[in-house]
Amino acid sequence: MASHAEHDDAQLVDALKRRDEAAFVQLVRRYQGPLLRLALVYAGSRAVAEEIVQDAWLGVLQGVEKFEGRSSFKTWLFRILVNRARTRAEREGRTVPFSALGGAALEPGEPAVAAERFRGPSDPQWPLHWAVPPRSWGASPEEQLLARETLDLVERVIAALPPAQREVITLRDVEGWAAEEVCNVLGISETNQRVLLHRARSRVRGALESHLDPS
């Protein structure tokens, strides 16, 4: 069943097909911010990200007549952005080809949490359990997490993540998307999405632990 937002988008898209300029303005107001935040995942600067977003909106205007509503407008719009951003990034040589990232998330790599934080398999009491569990970040972690320096740290950590992890955590945790939406837009499997998100969140949490409890 379509959500209220999807129904509203569908009406705006119908109006846009009739070249209703006001409908286009409403769609831009609704999605400009999220589009720009995702474009920054691929871009080397805000100016480049803004160009990518403009290119995506141009793609909407050029292709809206062919949009049949098989997916939500939101999914279609962000697919346009991702495809154009990836193409530009590859062309400029700033990233490895994104076609190579699909299986990379499932290959053996760095552990999400350092191995030394767990007990060994031969531990007599708690084999493979935490040896150094995550610590509390204080009596009021909400206040610390809202601190500007902490938010700046999170932004820097996300910006330094590998591209595929950065895509997923931006959509899931910054934009609040559901896993299914992320998979549809990025063209990845649910398993891939889950692994990428777990690794990204683990890096962010590790950085926050060091920042909030440097001891």
Side-chain angles (χ1 to χ4, degrees):
M1 184 177 179
S3 67
H4 175 74
E6 289 176 347
H7 180 70
D8 192 31
D9 280 355
Q11 290 183 322
L12 291 172
V13 169
D14 286 342
L16 183 58
K17 289 180 178 180
R18 300 191 299 270
R19 300 304 174 187
D20 185 334
E21 185 177 343
F24 181 67
V25 170
Q26 281 189 259
L27 289 168
V28 170
R29 286 176 177 169
R30 180 171 298 172
Y31 291 113
Q32 183 74 3
L35 285 170
L36 183 58
R37 285 189 289 273
L38 184 58
L40 285 166
V41 169
Y42 307 94
S45 68
R46 185 180 181 90
V48 172
E50 290 174 347
E51 289 179 9
I52 292 171
V53 173
Q54 289 176 4
D55 194 27
W57 283 120
L58 180 60
V60 168
L61 293 175
Q62 292 171 336
V64 70
E65 296 293 342
K66 298 179 181 178
F67 177 64
E68 298 177 349
R70 294 177 182 176
S71 64
S72 69
F73 172 77
K74 176 182 173 183
T75 297
W76 180 66
L77 169 62
F78 278 83
R79 277 181 188 158
I80 292 174
L81 177 94
V82 168
N83 289 337
R84 300 200 176 201
R86 288 175 173 178
T87 298
R88 178 165 180 158
E90 290 176 23
R91 185 174 65 243
E92 296 177 355
R94 289 186 286 101
T95 63
V96 296
F98 277 80
S99 58
L101 291 176
L106 300 181
E107 293 175 1
E110 64 179 278
V113 181
E116 59 266 24
R117 296 189 64 175
F118 296 93
R119 298 174 184 267
S122 59
D123 186 271
Q125 260 194 315
W126 304 103
L128 302 179
H129 282 234
W130 286 103
V132 183
R135 297 181 179 180
S136 168
W137 292 338
S140 181
E142 293 82 5
E143 292 180 7
Q144 295 189 64
L145 285 172
L146 289 174
R148 183 67 253 175
E149 62 180 28
T150 303
L151 294 177
D152 288 343
L153 171 68
V154 170
E155 290 175 0
R156 291 196 301 272
V157 174
I158 290 176
L161 291 171
Q165 293 181 25
R166 198 160 68 239
E167 287 179 315
V168 172
I169 197 171
T170 297
L171 291 176
R172 287 297 310 275
D173 291 350
V174 178
E175 299 301 330
W177 286 27
E180 183 179 1
E181 290 182 295
V182 175
C183 292
N184 288 338
V185 166
L186 300 182
I188 59 177
S189 69
E190 166 60 26
T191 299
N192 227 348
Q193 184 270 155
R194 187 167 59 251
V195 171
L196 289 166
L197 181 62
H198 175 66
R199 289 183 175 178
R201 284 175 172 172
S202 295
R203 286 198 182 190
V204 172
R205 180 178 178 85
L208 283 172
E209 284 186 332
S210 299
H211 174 67
L212 298 175
D213 186 14
S215 61

